[in-house]
């Protein structure tokens, strides 16, 4: 990540778009977690970099308590609202903090999960923290789309969103280098999670792929929300040109699909598990 330094604006303003815009995890991913991790309604889950609570709330019934940690106040507020709406308020806690500043007194966990968040962190430091926070037999779980996703071809009910044109439009406003908070990431975020977790003392590793591929119907509003849910096109990056950008984006989408509807393939979900050694 070069000399990039995290700052609190990374996902500023994105929380209201995140749940609507991000495609869901592949159907069946919860069942895979339940089987692999032997979840039985006991134990405690730490959802690290929880965003609006997507992962933690989907698994809340499988634990006695879930604790979500995220540095963005909007994400934490969204998670708390959704927990209340889904009836999980009593078994969930939401804490605004970076994983690097792990609060004292959170106790021991059986599972520490990262839903597309580990790459934003000081990974060696956070991995060591999770190793200390997990009970014997516990596990770190990374949930994300696979780097290479083999999805079926074939016709879909509606046009796909014009991703290349959307990217070009955003670059016209923000420049060609991926923006991330107040900095840039010309080479993207790092991989090599396995080596990081091995250094921290985690042992055996297993990987489970939950296949996607079914067509998802997306409205123009959902496509706009996905754009604003991304760190590289978070609303604050556009400054006072945000309304202008959104108007151009919506015009582009109307040209691409006069019905206002789009299709995309459901991404697959990869569940990688490292056990406490």
């Amino acid at each position: 990540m070069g000399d990039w330094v995290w700052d609190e604006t990374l996902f500023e303003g994105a929380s209201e778009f995140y749940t609507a815009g991000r495609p869901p995890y592949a159907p069946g991913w919860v069942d895979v977690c339940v089987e692999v991790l032997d979840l039985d309604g006991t134990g405690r889950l730490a959802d690290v970099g929880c965003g609006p609570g997507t992962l933690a709330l989907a698994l809340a019934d499988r634990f006695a308590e879930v604790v979500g940690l995220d540095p963005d106040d909007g994400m934490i507020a969204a998670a708390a609202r959704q927990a209340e709406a889904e009836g999980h308020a009593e078994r969930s806690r939401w804490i605004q903090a970076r994983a690097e500043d792990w609060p004292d007194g959170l106790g021991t966990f059986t599972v520490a999960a990262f839903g597309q968040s580990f790459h934003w962190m000081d990974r060696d430091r956070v991995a060591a923290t999770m190793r200390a926070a997990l009970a014997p037999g516990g596990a770190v779980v990374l949930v994300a789309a696979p780097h290479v996703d083999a999805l079926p071809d074939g016709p879909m009910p509606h046009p796909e969103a014009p991703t290349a044109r959307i990217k070009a439009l955003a670059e016209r406003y923000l420049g060609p280098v991926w923006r991330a908070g107040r900095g840039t990431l010309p080479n993207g975020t790092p991989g090599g999670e396995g080596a990081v977790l091995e250094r921290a003392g985690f042992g055996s590793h297993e990987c489970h792929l939950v296949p996607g591929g079914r067509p998802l119907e997306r409205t123009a509003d959902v496509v706009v929300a996905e754009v604003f849910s991304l760190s590289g096109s978070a609303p604050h990056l556009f400054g006072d040109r945000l309304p202008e950008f959104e108007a151009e984006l919506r015009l582009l989408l109307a040209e691409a699909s006069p019905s206002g509807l789009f299709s995309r393939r459901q991404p697959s979900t990869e569940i990688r598990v490292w056990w406490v050694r």
Side-chain angles (χ1 to χ4, degrees):
M1 298 174 77
D3 58 0
W4 179 81
V5 177
W6 179 88
D7 71 76
E8 67 279 358
T9 69
L10 181 59
F11 283 98
E12 183 179 317
S15 60
E16 64 179 289
F17 303 103
Y18 203 96
T19 300
R22 293 294 180 100
Y25 293 130
W29 75 272
V30 170
D31 294 335
V32 172
C33 287
V34 169
E35 181 179 354
V36 171
L37 300 168
D38 194 23
L39 305 182
D40 60 3
T42 65
R44 302 177 72 228
L45 168 69
D47 184 358
V48 190
C50 65
T54 306
L55 190 155
L57 292 174
L59 294 170
D61 286 335
R62 314 295 180 166
F63 290 90
E65 183 183 31
V66 297
V67 177
L69 198 81
D70 198 281
D72 186 86
D73 58 350
M75 294 291 189
I76 288 295
R81 287 194 300 270
Q82 193 62 29
E84 182 72 33
E86 295 182 14
H88 295 310
E90 291 187 0
R91 68 170 67 204
S92 62
R93 295 174 61 191
W94 309 99
I95 300 170
Q96 184 187 350
R98 293 190 73 200
E100 292 85 344
D101 302 322
W102 193 256
D104 293 332
L106 290 187
T108 302
F109 295 87
T110 46
V111 176
F114 297 78
Q116 305 180 93
S117 60
F118 193 45
H119 54 276
W120 291 118
M121 302 172 188
D122 181 340
R123 298 183 303 162
D124 282 290
R125 179 175 172 182
V126 171
T129 299
M130 294 302 99
R131 177 64 181 81
L134 285 168
V140 158
V141 181
L142 305 187
V143 181
H147 292 299
V148 178
D149 198 359
L151 298 176
D153 293 323
M156 291 191 289
H158 308 290
E160 294 187 63
T163 53
R165 294 177 65 192
I166 293 171
K167 182 175 183 290
L169 176 63
E171 287 181 352
R172 184 151 57 80
Y173 281 79
L174 303 176
V177 181
W178 182 12
R179 299 281 294 275
R182 297 189 181 99
T184 57
L185 283 173
N187 300 312
T189 54
E193 297 88 352
V196 174
L197 291 163
E198 288 173 11
R199 287 196 296 271
F202 290 89
S204 59
H205 163 240
E206 54 188 281
C207 181
H208 302 269
L209 183 68
V210 186
R214 67 185 177 95
L216 300 176
E217 184 174 281
R218 318 264 288 172
T219 66
D221 286 343
V222 170
V223 176
V224 171
E226 183 173 12
V227 172
F228 288 144
S229 77
L230 301 171
S231 61
S233 49
H236 74 94
L237 295 175
F238 296 91
D240 58 8
R241 299 187 72 193
L242 179 62
E244 179 186 351
F245 169 77
E246 182 173 347
E248 285 203 61
L249 174 58
R250 289 186 179 277
L251 179 61
L252 187 162
L253 294 176
E255 293 172 352
S257 177
S259 72
L261 296 175
F262 298 87
S263 292
R264 69 169 293 173
R265 294 288 178 188
Q266 163 76 64
S268 301
T269 297
E270 189 175 62
I271 300 168
R272 292 182 289 165
V273 181
W274 282 263
W275 299 95
V276 172
R277 185 158 53 202

